[in-house]
Amino acid sequence: MPDALDARPYDALLLLSFGGPEGPDDVVPFLENVTRGRGIPKERLKEVGQHYFLFGGVSPINSHNRALLDAIRKDFADHGLDLPVYWGNRNWAPYVTDTLHDMVADGHRRILVLATSAYASYSGCRQYREDLAGALAALEGEGLELPRIDKLRHYFNHPGFVEPMIEGVLKSLADLPEDVRDGAHIAFSTHSIPTSAADTSGPAEEHGDGGAYVRQHLDVARLIAEAVRERTGVDHPWQLVYQSRSGAPQIPWLEPDICDHLEVLHGAGVPAVVMAPIGFVSDHMEVLYDLDTEATAKAQELGLPVRRSATVGADPRFAAAVRDLIVERATAERGQQATPCALGALGPSHNVCPVGCCPARAPRPAAAGADSPYA
């Protein structure tokens, strides 16, 4: 039997994700949850829902989360980490409020949260914390004893997250025709967000042009490009690009868009492209549609050979990274010396989101941070 790892003071882990529809009848209600408060007409939601209907009305994110749950539980069992793992979503069943209700009923009072978003931004961090606060408020309204909730730090530069992406890019390059392989460009793709949200992402001292969101992605892209050069001997040109814009056209969002970028590359005579979705933990709908469907169709229209590298998903190395992050945080919570593991120039992220980190346009209570009303 492996030596037991110490997760104290924590007694449970919550995998917190975005959620997605499980069938055609779920699509519009799910999109209503995602866009609640924005006043978007149902007819517009039906148009957006066509992306889901192309795949039977089922988002792949739920099956990927189930696979990740299995991988995490197996890793914990193999390494002697006695910590039950639960799953809750922000926008679809199992809802985070229901899952926290179950966790409290099961006797858990010190809960760690792993969000399926690796980088700092309002939509990738604080919004998850706001939903945790909303769930705690609902439990408080029922008169239940509230658990203490902490969120694991951003893991964008943890080796267990970066190494599978390096391997994915190498496999995609190897899959290209030999005559275009060495000249291939790498397009590192992530979700576009409003430039105002990017500029205020991360702690206040990191605010500025692109904020922590852009800097973190650029650091990961450099890590992968450097590893590819070291392992292949070829220095592939690369750029950070964006996808999945959904805002009003008059509001500035991060650019360039992946499809526009492919046109520019083709015009410059680039022989092939690897699209590397470094901003996404798994192959959810925005990867399957925006890259595998829309961007791939654009590349075919241009006659540009293109490959899409794999996301991290349920890779055992990522499950091991989750274990490492838990032990690291638990060690620090016990007042002992922890040694955070991080690659690149930015170092490990903060354990507790400070006041002013990734602010919202309309402030709402957020759990698991320095400004939490549930400390």
Side-chain angles (χ1 to χ4, degrees):
M1 291 292 292
D3 293 333
L5 296 176
D6 194 350
R8 293 175 304 147
Y10 299 107
D11 56 26
L13 175 70
L14 168 62
L15 176 67
L16 179 58
S17 193
F18 192 80
E22 302 265 28
D25 292 341
D26 297 343
V27 172
V28 172
F30 161 73
L31 292 173
E32 288 175 332
N33 286 344
V34 174
T35 61
R36 183 169 287 115
R38 301 185 200 172
I40 299 177
K42 182 172 284 191
E43 291 306 312
R44 173 58 181 152
L45 296 180
K46 289 180 180 178
E47 291 176 19
V48 175
Q50 293 305 314
H51 297 178
Y52 290 90
F53 293 132
L54 287 174
F55 298 89
V58 178
S59 170
I61 194 170
N62 292 327
S63 62
H64 284 292
N65 280 327
R66 293 183 182 102
L68 179 56
L69 284 168
D70 289 343
I72 291 172
R73 287 167 177 155
K74 181 180 186 303
D75 180 90
F76 287 6
D78 289 347
H79 292 87
L81 182 59
D82 184 17
L83 197 70
V85 186
Y86 293 74
W87 170 34
N89 291 323
R90 292 184 49 234
N91 298 297
W92 202 249
Y95 290 102
V96 60
T97 300
D98 297 333
T99 301
L100 277 181
H101 196 287
D102 291 343
M103 296 176 82
V104 169
D106 291 344
H108 300 298
R109 297 296 180 267
R110 288 297 303 270
I111 297 170
L112 262 177
V113 175
L114 169 70
T116 55
S117 179
Y119 301 84
S121 70
Y122 170 72
S123 57
C125 184
R126 185 175 179 88
Q127 197 167 22
Y128 283 82
R129 293 175 48 224
E130 290 177 350
D131 285 345
L132 285 168
L136 288 171
L139 268 58
E140 187 175 39
E142 295 183 37
L144 298 175
E145 181 181 353
L146 298 186
R148 161 80 180 269
I149 292 180
D150 292 326
K151 179 179 175 291
L152 288 170
R153 66 175 173 89
H154 301 300
Y155 47 83
F156 63 92
N157 56 2
H158 194 287
F161 186 69
V162 175
E163 184 60 37
M165 293 190 291
I166 295 170
E167 185 176 283
V169 171
L170 290 169
K171 287 182 177 179
S172 291
L173 287 167
D175 191 48
L176 284 167
E178 188 174 357
D179 60 332
V180 299
R181 185 179 304 148
D182 286 353
H185 173 98
I186 306 173
F188 294 106
S189 185
T190 190
H191 204 300
S192 184
I193 60 175
T195 56
S196 58
D199 293 347
T200 56
S201 58
E205 62 271 17
E206 296 183 28
H207 293 177
D209 187 16
Y213 186 75
V214 171
R215 282 193 287 276
Q216 289 171 0
H217 281 88
L218 285 172
D219 204 42
V220 171
R222 289 189 193 98
L223 283 168
I224 296 172
E226 289 170 2
V228 168
R229 183 182 66 246
E230 290 170 1
R231 299 181 197 187
T232 66
V234 179
D235 191 5
H236 290 273
W238 62 270
Q239 185 169 336
L240 178 64
V241 300
Y242 303 92
Q243 62 175 88
S244 312
R245 176 187 170 133
S246 60
Q250 69 272 18
I251 298 175
W253 282 52
L254 292 173
E255 296 178 336
D257 176 78
I258 178 64
C259 289
D260 295 339
H261 186 59
L262 292 175
E263 289 189 343
V264 170
L265 293 177
H266 177 257
V270 170
V273 178
V274 168
M275 301 183 295
I278 61 172
F280 306 90
V281 173
S282 67
D283 288 8
H284 58 58
M285 184 56 67
E286 287 169 324
V287 175
L288 292 188
Y289 183 82
D290 295 332
L291 293 184
D292 292 356
T293 304
E294 192 173 50
T296 299
K298 170 59 70 175
Q300 290 173 345
E301 172 191 322
L302 297 169
L304 181 64
V306 68
R307 298 292 186 273
R308 196 269 288 177
S309 66
T311 52
V312 173
D315 190 288
R317 289 166 291 188
F318 182 43
V322 173
R323 167 173 41 87
D324 181 66
L325 290 165
I326 290 168
V327 173
E328 171 199 309
R329 182 62 182 274
T331 300
E333 285 294 308
R334 294 194 301 270
Q336 300 170 335
Q337 184 65 38
T339 306
C341 190
L343 302 174
L346 300 182
S349 188
H350 47 264
N351 275 334
V352 179
C353 292
V355 175
C357 193
C358 303
R361 284 176 293 178
R364 294 171 53 200
D371 56 354
S372 172
Y374 299 103

